[in-house]
Amino acid sequence: LLSTLALASEDVGHEASSGGFRVDTQSTWLFRSFLPDESDDADVMGLEFNSSWSWGNYDWTSIAYIELADYPVGVPGQPPGNPEPGTAAATGIYDLLTAFPFSKRKEHHGPHHFSWGFSAQFPTGDDETLTSGKYSIGPAIEYAYSGDRLFAAFVALQLWSVAGDSDRKDVSMMMIKPMITYDLNEKWKAVYMPYGVSVYWNKDPGQRVYFPLGGGIQRQFSIGSVPSAFSVQLFKNVIRPDKGTKYDFRLMLEVNF
């Protein structure tokens, strides 16, 4: 979704999507998570699909995000939600995370864009360590600012479980996914696009929050006539659970349709 908004900031994307449903971007993320014990370091591949469409007087956008993980041990705070037992090694897919913000057509204020909607998480994970076992829903909001060289945005969502495995803990999780890019020149951007700031309300105090700082650089290019980008980033979780991920190294390939 944030990638779609970034594309819209370059006068492509939202206006082009007003004719009907379309997939705007597909991003592939490769993560290397560095834990306190380096033998526990984990690998994750994330797939993100961003779409847009018009319905009545409103413009809708959506994000669908799922990951394939290879964990030597359980990683605290992952996947999104509050899984149990959450301590075993696992390889497989995570729960599906989605968000659906919308806004009234052309009701934007200069460089500012704001929308609201709902989010949902589905228990698609194929291992107890990788799924919450719960169906969860909640509100979502999105804000974006587009300047001459600066683009800044975030999507924030809160999830509460409403159904699912009665033997699993309830989900109460907030996630804020920020995105900041600054144009260095026509081809290069400085970027801050972390996995997100996560708060797991059901965890013990001191074990609830992941807060990453860092960033990297992004190269713009084209695959044929399709605008694309590749970025390299490194983050340190300055707030994290005691046994949580210390650093995230991230590679991303983004294709804008």
Side-chain angles (χ1 to χ4, degrees), residues 13-257:
H14 278 301
E15 294 301 323
S17 68
S18 60
F21 179 86
R22 59 172 286 159
V23 177
D24 293 300
T25 67
Q26 193 282 313
S27 300
T28 301
W29 303 71
L30 296 176
F31 310 93
R32 179 69 172 178
S33 296
F34 298 90
L35 279 82
D37 185 340
E38 63 182 29
S39 65
D40 296 336
D41 293 349
D43 296 299
V44 177
M45 181 177 73
L47 299 175
E48 179 178 326
F49 297 89
N50 300 294
S51 306
S52 59
W53 69 95
S54 297
W55 186 14
N57 293 324
Y58 292 89
D59 290 327
W60 290 73
T61 52
S62 72
I63 179 174
Y65 187 72
I66 197 164
E67 297 173 348
L68 174 64
D70 182 17
Y71 284 166
V73 298
V75 179
Q78 296 181 19
N82 193 22
E84 287 290 337
T87 56
T91 298
I93 62 171
Y94 272 2
D95 290 351
L96 174 64
L97 180 64
T98 62
F100 298 91
F102 61 92
S103 61
K104 198 166 185 179
R105 190 169 303 136
K106 297 183 179 180
E107 193 177 71
H108 308 310
H109 303 282
H112 303 281
H113 173 93
F114 179 81
S115 60
W116 60 94
F118 63 92
S119 57
Q121 180 176 277
F122 303 93
T124 56
D126 54 12
D127 185 277
E128 287 190 345
T129 300
L130 300 174
T131 180
S132 64
K134 297 287 189 176
Y135 294 88
S136 304
I137 59 173
I141 60 171
E142 167 265 308
Y143 167 80
Y145 167 82
S146 299
D148 292 336
R149 302 177 70 179
L150 175 68
F151 174 80
F154 71 85
V155 173
L157 55 89
Q158 168 69 39
L159 290 169
W160 294 282
S161 54
V162 294
D165 189 343
S166 60
D167 294 331
R168 305 295 295 275
K169 287 188 176 181
D170 290 338
V171 171
S172 180
M173 184 271 289
M174 181 177 70
M175 176 176 284
I176 303 171
K177 294 181 71 68
M179 175 179 178
I180 300 173
T181 70
Y182 184 81
D183 293 347
L184 301 174
N185 55 44
E186 185 178 343
K187 296 295 185 181
W188 293 93
K189 297 176 183 282
V191 297
Y192 172 69
M193 292 183 285
Y195 181 85
V197 178
S198 303
V199 182
Y200 304 96
W201 301 109
N202 290 349
K203 300 289 186 181
D204 294 332
Q207 308 298 310
R208 294 174 176 170
V209 179
Y210 273 104
F211 191 98
L213 291 180
I217 195 163
Q218 183 180 81
R219 177 68 158 83
Q220 309 294 117
F221 63 96
S222 295
I223 301 176
S225 61
V226 179
S228 304
F230 180 79
S231 63
V232 179
Q233 299 179 83
L234 179 65
F235 300 94
K236 180 179 180 179
N237 288 300
V238 294
I239 303 174
R240 62 184 179 87
D242 292 340
K243 297 182 180 180
T245 302
K246 296 177 67 175
Y247 297 93
D248 277 320
F249 177 69
R250 182 160 308 170
L251 303 175
M252 185 193 78
L253 173 66
E254 177 186 312
V255 179
N256 299 306
F257 298 104

